[in-house]
Amino acid sequence: MGRNGWRWIELKFNSAETTLHFLRRDDEVPSAEPVLVLVDDDVEGTIAALQSNGVEIITRPQAAPWQPTRTIAEFRDSEGNRVVIGSR
């Protein structure tokens, strides 16, 4: 994805509503930008469950700036990368 070393992978499973979107630089340094976007019907509940299991929450559930009717939040994965979770 350009000359700056970014990779983009998108996966969609047959007869599923799930699409996985991975964005990562070629180096092994944790990304400062989100590397994965997840869609969930219960962002607040999922963030609460992640936090209760010791996951670092970067941003609490809030209205998405680009679409205020959607809820988004961010957390860090086990490698230190940012992950976004948003409502439909």
Side-chain angles (χ1 to χ4, degrees):
M1 198 168 137
R3 288 184 234 151
N4 60 5
W6 288 96
R7 293 178 288 161
W8 174 312
I9 301 168
E10 224 176 88
L11 302 172
K12 176 131 172 97
F13 302 98
N14 288 336
S15 67
E17 294 182 29
T18 305
T19 300
L20 299 177
H21 168 131
F22 299 93
L23 184 62
R24 176 78 187 216
R25 287 186 58 102
D26 288 333
D27 57 25
E28 294 300 320
V29 177
S31 176
E33 299 299 321
V35 297
L36 178 64
V37 177
L38 302 171
V39 177
D40 191 329
D41 290 328
D42 183 13
V43 173
E44 292 86 355
T46 299
I47 288 295
L50 290 170
Q51 187 171 26
S52 71
N53 283 303
V55 174
E56 178 187 351
I57 306 303
I58 300 170
T59 58
R60 303 291 310 155
Q62 59 189 296
W66 61 89
Q67 189 177 358
T69 58
R70 294 182 75 181
T71 301
I72 60 166
E74 291 184 68
F75 62 93
R76 290 209 188 275
D77 69 11
S78 59
E79 285 76 41
N81 298 294
R82 289 173 52 191
V83 177
V84 173
I85 184 168
S87 62
R88 293 184 198 271

